[in-house]
Amino acid sequence: MTDTCVTTGENAMPTALKTTLLLSLLLSCAAHAGDTSFRKTLTAFASEQALSAYLDKLAAQQMALQRRAELQMQAMPAPAPMAAASSKSADVAGALTDSVTNTQTAGVDEGGIVKVHGKHLVMLRRGKLFTVSVGPQGLRPVASLDAYAPGSDPSDSWYDEMLVSGDTVVVIGYSYSRGGTEVGLFDIDAAGRLAYRSTYHLRSNDYYSARNYASRLVGTKLVFYSPLSLNVRRGDPYGGFPAIRRWRPDALPQDFRRIAPATRIFRTDEEPEPGAAIALHAVTSCDLASRELRCEASAVMAPPGRVFYVSGESVYVWTTRRGGGSSVFRLPLDGTAPSALKTAGAPVDQFSFLASADGYLNVLLRSQGRGDAMWDSEKGRGKLALLRVPLNSFSDGRDSAPAASYRALPGNGDYGLQNRYVGPYLLYGQPGNSARRQLDPNWPLQPLHALRWAGKDAPQALVLAHGVERIEALGKDAVAVGAKGADLHFTSIRLGSGADIAGTYVRADAAQGETRSHGFFYQPDTGSEGVIGLPIMGAQERAGPRSESASVLYLRNHNLALTELGALAAKPGAPPDDGCRASCVDWYGNARALFLQGRIFALLGYELVEGGLADGKIRETRRISYAPAAARAR
């Protein structure tokens, strides 16, 4: 995009006309000073020919680099005999409420394992969809259906996330055998009945992250972030470009149709590092208002390390270079051209980001990190800083975030760092070394830090009696959850002009049963009252994709004083044999606390348990199993 505020050009126009035009231009520039659309944006390839020529150039550079390395290897002397290895070893009734998902950003739904449609809960579990009627007369299983296309082979495929838009259920999965993201569309009616509609494949690498979710829903717009490895040396490098095909039993690779032409492929002024991997960071938007899935994509060519965050207006992708340095890209959801900034460091996960209402992007960074693919969020480390930059400073990628926009913070970014924005505060803390503390109860814990992200004051250090495994909002305040020995602690944090510890509840012999953000839910009753729900298990058990949460614990929040209401527990014994054919590991968990129009439920595997409050305690009122019929009959 041409920056018309830089130059007006020269011609022979009359002086008076020049003056008038220059005055208009200056007024226009001032009016656009805070308008991100007026800034320079990334450069797209002008044509398919220009893109092809650039890929050919990269391929030639990589082949020359490989040949040089081979010649150097041939010239190297024979290696000396290896020294003996050291013996020392080195020391992971009516419509229900709108949402039952603990989302990061208001108005941006996230793919999950349970959603609401009218008077029904919709569950995705172990390769199947289920609906349960939640009416005043009780709970009743209604329908179940395979979460994949009839006649397709679900082996080596994982069906992880689900969203509901109108009368459409969307199932998001990844197929290793078919090589990409799988999008299944299903119809659901007012009676909770399900019907298969269609399946589409999107080219992508594996999207899995132990902390993040692959899909978002903004209005009727289904949004994906997809990393795509770009192999410029293979015969057809375009085989790694964003594309879609509709599934059919005889579907072929050539059925894929590109959805990001050259004019939607963007790059910065930086050339790829010699020998380093290259990725296309693609944002795909699909319209769910029509029965046919219509998708379009934009992609940025950059190094592969990534963390992504979705605000109501844009997708932000943070990439890291192998040789140091990083960049953050802003891809607007309205399809306009992306923009970028050169940066330093890397975020922990999507919760490190906040696109704030004052027109800034705020990001908690640690000095060393490599994105959030798989379990990489747990592996970063180093010093911490807060980057705070105005959105209108994003440009064509040549500019760097000014040094003054980084604010050094106390603490470190080592294993398991948790972070969350709550109102005007950024909170961050660590689980701590629980194994070391079991040996030495006096081993120091890192404090929970509370920083006013838009202010200048130093962060407050709140000394908790436990590590920080989870940080969540309680309305305008917060709660930190973590272990101390064999007990699970909940510490409420009052956030006002300062941050203060308000109260603590301790559940003896317990641990979190779910570590993902969706495992927690807070249902506010008033500004200062509400109910917390969190799956738990015994302290000696370990939360993971193969664990079964024993119960969901409920706490009453009364002006930040936390008291136990009780728990709704799973039926003891082994789970039923459901004859699972796909997604037979619960990578996204299997337990949720659900609050639906004043009613309280616990989703525990194939069980849905309802509880009622009386005399300050929760007691079970009914339960059902929605397992496949054959499993219920056993």
Side-chain angles (χ1 to χ4, degrees):
M1 174 178 174
T2 302
D3 192 343
T4 53
C5 292
V6 175
T7 178
T8 61
E10 295 292 336
N11 53 39
M13 69 178 67
T15 301
L17 181 56
K18 280 187 179 180
T19 302
T20 302
L21 289 177
L22 180 59
L23 179 60
S24 298
L25 180 61
L26 291 173
L27 290 173
S28 174
C29 292
H32 285 285
D35 182 0
T36 60
S37 66
F38 197 69
R39 297 287 296 174
K40 292 180 181 179
T41 56
L42 294 183
T43 301
F45 288 92
S47 65
E48 294 295 332
Q49 292 78 9
L51 175 58
S52 179
Y54 182 73
L55 295 177
D56 288 344
K57 183 184 80 168
L58 291 183
Q61 290 173 348
Q62 291 195 6
M63 291 178 68
L65 188 69
Q66 181 182 7
R67 180 59 181 158
R68 191 178 308 124
E70 290 171 351
L71 292 174
Q72 289 173 347
M73 288 291 291
Q74 293 172 8
M76 287 178 64
M82 292 182 63
S86 169
S87 61
K88 293 183 179 179
S89 58
D91 289 341
V92 209
L96 303 176
T97 52
D98 302 283
S99 175
V100 289
T101 306
N102 179 25
T103 56
Q104 178 182 4
T105 302
V108 181
D109 198 10
E110 300 167 1
I113 64 169
V114 57
K115 298 292 178 181
V116 176
H117 179 266
K119 300 178 181 179
H120 298 86
L121 285 173
V122 186
M123 273 79 73
L124 172 66
R125 184 154 199 249
R126 295 168 66 85
K128 284 186 174 290
L129 282 170
F130 303 87
T131 59
V132 172
S133 173
V134 185
Q137 286 74 39
L139 309 175
R140 179 175 57 87
V142 175
S144 66
L145 196 64
D146 288 336
Y148 44 87
S152 66
D153 181 3
S155 62
D156 214 17
S157 299
W158 298 90
Y159 302 95
D160 300 314
E161 302 181 14
M162 172 187 56
L163 290 156
V164 175
S165 175
D167 293 332
T168 299
V169 177
V170 185
V171 174
I172 313 301
Y174 188 82
S175 175
Y176 289 93
S177 59
R178 288 178 279 274
T181 298
E182 195 163 298
V183 183
L185 302 182
F186 299 82
D187 295 317
I188 183 170
D189 64 16
R193 292 171 297 205
L194 296 165
Y196 171 77
R197 186 193 305 174
S198 55
T199 296
Y200 296 82
H201 294 134
L202 292 168
R203 280 191 192 138
S204 77
N205 296 130
D206 193 349
Y207 55 68
Y208 182 79
S209 165
R211 293 197 185 186
N212 209 343
Y213 303 92
S215 57
R216 303 292 193 273
L217 184 64
V218 183
T220 62
K221 186 178 292 186
L222 179 63
V223 179
F224 299 95
Y225 162 73
S226 304
L228 289 149
S229 297
L230 183 59
N231 187 346
V232 295
R233 294 178 54 199
R234 68 181 170 192
D236 177 22
Y238 292 100
F241 277 61
I244 190 171
R245 71 176 178 186
R246 183 166 179 162
W247 181 86
R248 63 178 194 271
D250 57 349
L252 299 171
Q254 52 264 39
D255 293 335
F256 277 105
R257 177 179 55 82
R258 273 181 60 191
I259 54 175
T263 53
R264 298 302 302 170
I265 306 293
F266 297 86
R267 58 182 298 265
T268 69
D269 63 311
E270 290 187 328
E271 291 295 329
E273 296 173 282
I278 309 171
L280 285 177
H281 299 275
V283 172
T284 302
S285 176
C286 304
D287 182 14
L288 294 178
S290 62
R291 290 188 62 79
E292 295 295 321
L293 196 66
R294 297 192 180 97
C295 303
E296 54 187 20
S298 297
V300 172
M301 199 177 291
R306 83 305 192 270
V307 179
F308 79 97
Y309 155 74
V310 183
S311 74
E313 293 77 33
S314 299
V315 179
Y316 295 85
V317 180
W318 193 288
T319 68
T320 52
R321 293 173 65 86
R322 187 181 64 179
S326 56
S327 295
V328 58
F329 297 91
R330 181 177 185 238
L331 292 89
L333 293 176
D334 63 6
T336 54
S339 52
L341 275 178
K342 289 184 173 68
T343 51
V348 181
D349 54 26
Q350 72 272 25
F351 298 111
S352 303
F353 292 81
L354 173 68
S356 51
D358 61 356
Y360 279 76
L361 180 67
N362 309 270
V363 192
L364 177 66
L365 303 173
R366 50 188 174 186
S367 54
Q368 298 179 48
R370 58 188 194 187
D372 68 355
M374 298 297 179
W375 290 270
D376 282 351
S377 286
E378 313 302 335
K379 300 173 184 176
R381 57 192 176 89
K383 296 180 180 180
L384 297 175
L386 177 69
L387 172 68
R388 177 169 160 81
V389 290
L391 294 178
N392 62 13
S393 66
F394 279 69
S395 64
D396 61 1
R398 299 173 188 271
D399 299 329
S400 296
S405 61
Y406 295 90
R407 184 176 174 189
L409 298 177
N412 63 68
D414 291 352
Y415 177 84
L417 182 70
Q418 302 293 315
N419 57 158
R420 190 63 64 95
Y421 294 88
V422 181
Y425 281 89
L426 165 65
L427 304 172
Y428 62 94
Q430 291 177 314
N433 191 328
S434 57
R436 178 60 189 262
R437 292 203 313 275
Q438 287 178 358
L439 298 174
D440 181 4
N442 296 318
W443 183 258
L445 287 165
Q446 293 288 329
L448 174 71
H449 286 96
L451 171 72
R452 294 185 74 95
W453 44 262
K456 299 297 183 183
D457 294 338
Q460 293 178 247
L462 304 178
V463 180
L464 308 184
H466 57 89
V468 179
E469 299 172 359
R470 178 185 291 274
I471 303 169
E472 300 284 356
L474 297 182
K476 61 182 179 58
D477 300 302
V479 62
V481 183
K484 180 183 180 183
D487 302 332
L488 189 62
H489 290 235
F490 296 72
T491 298
S492 56
I493 310 296
R494 192 180 308 279
L495 300 175
S497 57
D500 301 288
I501 296 173
T504 298
Y505 164 80
V506 180
R507 173 77 175 203
D509 188 30
Q512 285 198 98
E514 292 275 5
T515 58
R516 280 187 168 271
S517 59
H518 290 180
F520 178 95
F521 207 94
Y522 177 64
Q523 179 64 33
D525 298 328
T526 66
S528 59
E529 301 239 355
V531 177
I532 293 171
L534 180 69
I536 62 169
M537 55 178 53
Q540 300 306 312
E541 300 176 81
R542 184 175 180 179
R546 297 183 184 275
S547 61
E548 295 286 335
S549 293
S551 59
V552 174
L553 174 68
Y554 298 89
L555 304 179
R556 167 68 68 186
N557 168 35
H558 175 69
N559 292 323
L560 298 182
L562 305 179
T563 55
E564 182 176 332
L565 294 173
L568 297 176
K571 185 178 180 180
D577 179 5
D578 57 5
C580 182
R581 294 185 60 208
S583 295
C584 299
V585 176
D586 293 318
W587 294 107
Y588 283 59
N590 54 49
R592 297 288 185 269
L594 306 174
F595 299 90
L596 307 173
Q597 287 206 336
R599 298 166 70 182
I600 300 175
F601 299 90
L603 177 65
L604 294 159
Y606 280 125
E607 292 184 285
L608 185 63
V609 185
E610 183 172 4
L613 284 174
D615 301 322
K617 296 294 178 184
I618 189 167
R619 294 177 176 84
E620 179 183 329
T621 58
R622 57 175 67 90
R623 77 170 58 212
I624 62 160
S625 169
Y626 67 91
R632 293 200 302 269
R634 289 187 177 94

